[in-house]
């Protein structure tokens, strides 16, 4: 376990740390909410009254991911969509594709992008199977545009509310969940001076990570969708390889003391070992009986807890969302603006 000093240091810095990454997103062990989105689950009433195990990563919210997006100069600006081509044959959006500000056009862009992304994921996975190999470029580009749309709606609640009212009920609920999750983590974000300090690498294969999540679920009973959402929030599925500013390491962001207690002798940088340790820690903290308590122990932020549960809910509703999130990129909020530091 972490020492008492480590715990107090973590708690003292949580408010100022906020969510470091915008792309790898979330927190010491999380990612974002939206004011116009469906209300996030309520926080556990007894979370602050219980004494959980020390937080794996110090409770920061957003080391590399959703909570700190990086520059999207194409957001509400940038390159216009290619003209010609029919809707079903149009080329995938460019990395800096313009984000519409008009609610009707925004709703149409989100609906079209999500449909095309799901179709591309079906092609990649064999319509409901397990993905083979790396993601096709069309999946990467559609996922990036979807992510940028949600980052825009998280910052523009008025436009988002009017746009979501035009969507089919199922997509509107998904949009509100994603926007709410992102917004919550963005509120925790703490700008950094230099995004170049983040070391970015290609993530392990989506299929390999899925095996790790399900193996850990079988051993500790922690739902694989929750474990996937934690890694998504913490390091965008392992894209961010740098330690946090307080020393949390690995794809699930563990502090040395917590890793020693829950890592079971594994390698903190190994995805399989890290996922198993996270499941071990969450189980010891109350999961699956009380996910809110367990996730609050992982990162002392209710916004973080809400974000993880909202993303997990979307994966449960449609497994294709796991593959969509897998292809969301790393954004970092700097003192000079946002920067995207991974992807095309």
């Amino acid at each position: 376990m972490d020492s008492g000093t480590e715990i107090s240091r973590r708690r003292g810095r949580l408010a100022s740390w906020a969510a470091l990454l915008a792309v790898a997103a979330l927190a010491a062990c999380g990612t974002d909410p939206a004011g116009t989105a469906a209300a996030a689950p309520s926080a556990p009433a007894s979370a602050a009254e219980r004494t959980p195990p020390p937080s794996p990563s110090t409770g920061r919210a957003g080391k590399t991911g959703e909570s700190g997006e990086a520059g999207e100069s194409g957001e509400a600006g940038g390159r216009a969509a290619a003209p010609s081509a029919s809707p079903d044959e149009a080329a995938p959006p460019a990395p800096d594709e313009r984000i519409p500000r008009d609610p009707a056009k925004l709703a149409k862009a989100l609906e079209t992008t999500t449909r095309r992304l799901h179709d591309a994921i079906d092609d990649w996975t064999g319509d409901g199977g397990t993905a083979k190999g790396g993601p096709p470029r069309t999946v990467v580009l559609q996922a990036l545009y979807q992510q940028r749309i949600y980052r825009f709606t998280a910052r523009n609640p008025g436009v988002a509310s009017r746009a979501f009212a035009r969507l089919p009920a199922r997509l509107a609920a998904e949009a509100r969940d994603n926007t709410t999750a992102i917004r919550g983590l963005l509120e925790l974000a703490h700008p950094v001076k230099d995004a170049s300090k983040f070391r970015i690498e290609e993530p392990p294969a989506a299929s390999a990570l899925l095996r790790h999540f399900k193996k850990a679920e079988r051993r500790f009973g922690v739902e694989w969708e929750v474990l996937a959402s934690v890694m998504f929030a913490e390091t965008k599925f392992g894209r961010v390889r740098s330690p946090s500013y307080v020393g949390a390491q690995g794809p699930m962001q563990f502090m040395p003391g917590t890793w020693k207690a829950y890592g079971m002798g594994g390698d903190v940088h190994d995805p399989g070992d890290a996922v198993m340790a996270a499941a071990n820690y969450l189980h010891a903290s109350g999961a699956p009986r009380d996910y809110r308590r367990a996730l609050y122990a992982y990162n002392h932020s209710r916004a973080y807890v809400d974000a993880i549960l909202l993303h997990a809910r979307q994966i449960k509703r449609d497994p294709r969302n796991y593959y969509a999130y897998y292809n969301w990129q790393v954004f970092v909020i700097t003192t000079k603006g946002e920067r995207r530091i991974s992807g095309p």
Side-chain angles (χ1 to χ4, degrees):
M1 286 190 170
D2 293 334
S3 66
T5 300
E6 189 172 43
I7 298 174
S8 61
R9 183 172 61 248
R10 177 201 66 228
R11 291 177 175 168
R13 294 178 179 174
L14 174 62
S16 61
W17 164 252
L20 164 67
L21 302 215
V23 68
L26 269 60
C29 274
T31 175
D32 342 269
T36 56
S42 58
S46 61
E49 302 171 358
R50 301 175 183 176
T51 304
S55 169
S57 63
T58 76
R60 83 178 181 296
K63 177 197 161 201
T64 50
E66 285 307 34
S67 60
E69 45 177 34
E72 287 164 354
S73 58
E75 220 171 44
R79 200 176 309 168
S84 60
S86 67
D88 292 333
E89 298 174 348
D96 60 350
E97 192 80 22
R98 182 181 181 85
I99 305 295
R101 289 183 177 273
D102 175 76
K105 293 180 180 179
L106 182 62
K108 181 63 175 177
L110 179 57
E111 186 173 6
T112 300
T113 299
T114 301
R115 185 187 71 248
R116 291 176 179 170
L117 173 58
H118 284 177
D119 287 346
I121 289 172
D122 284 341
D123 290 341
W124 179 29
T125 62
D127 196 8
T130 301
K132 301 295 191 298
R137 183 169 177 77
T138 183
V139 171
V140 174
L141 291 173
Q142 296 288 3
L144 174 58
Y145 193 47
Q146 181 194 59
Q147 179 188 17
R148 291 180 54 239
I149 288 175
Y150 282 135
R151 297 180 78 77
F152 174 77
T153 59
R155 290 184 170 86
N156 297 273
V159 175
S161 180
R162 294 192 293 275
F164 296 165
R166 299 169 180 268
L167 295 172
R170 185 180 180 88
L171 179 55
E174 178 179 316
R176 292 187 180 103
D177 278 2
N178 283 323
T179 301
T180 298
I182 292 170
R183 181 177 300 156
L185 291 174
L186 287 173
E187 290 175 354
L188 298 174
H190 181 272
V192 297
K193 290 184 178 180
D194 184 10
S196 65
K197 71 177 184 178
F198 294 108
R199 185 161 61 92
I200 303 298
E201 294 183 3
E202 287 298 309
S207 57
L209 290 177
L210 187 57
R211 287 194 296 272
H212 294 319
F213 298 140
K214 291 187 174 182
K215 180 179 179 181
E217 178 183 48
R218 289 192 297 272
R219 177 163 180 179
F220 290 103
V222 179
E223 295 172 343
W224 78 263
E225 296 91 345
V226 171
L227 294 169
S229 296
V230 170
M231 186 185 280
F232 168 57
E234 293 296 339
T235 61
K236 282 293 186 289
F237 291 109
R239 285 179 174 82
V240 178
R241 303 286 294 185
S242 307
S244 76
Y245 82 111
V246 291
Q249 300 179 34
M252 300 300 268
Q253 291 291 276
F254 273 90
M255 289 295 290
T258 313
W259 180 261
K260 184 177 181 180
Y262 295 93
M264 301 179 289
D267 179 354
V268 71
H269 298 290
D270 179 82
D273 291 347
V275 169
M276 194 66 72
N280 183 19
Y281 179 86
L282 290 170
H283 177 75
S285 302
R289 180 178 55 81
D290 189 341
Y291 277 111
R292 286 191 165 279
R293 179 191 177 204
L295 290 167
Y296 190 80
Y298 206 93
N299 186 321
H300 285 21
S301 163
R302 289 195 172 101
Y304 178 88
V305 172
D306 288 344
I308 297 301
L309 295 178
L310 287 169
H311 285 311
R313 180 164 73 184
Q314 288 310 313
I315 297 175
K316 291 178 186 178
R317 286 179 174 176
D318 190 336
R320 289 177 297 189
N321 287 325
Y322 164 66
Y323 293 105
Y325 292 152
Y326 174 83
N327 284 283
W328 282 21
Q329 302 299 326
V330 178
F331 286 81
V332 175
I333 296 177
T334 75
T335 53
K336 296 182 179 179
E338 299 173 349
R339 285 191 55 201
R340 177 165 60 84
I341 59 174
S342 73

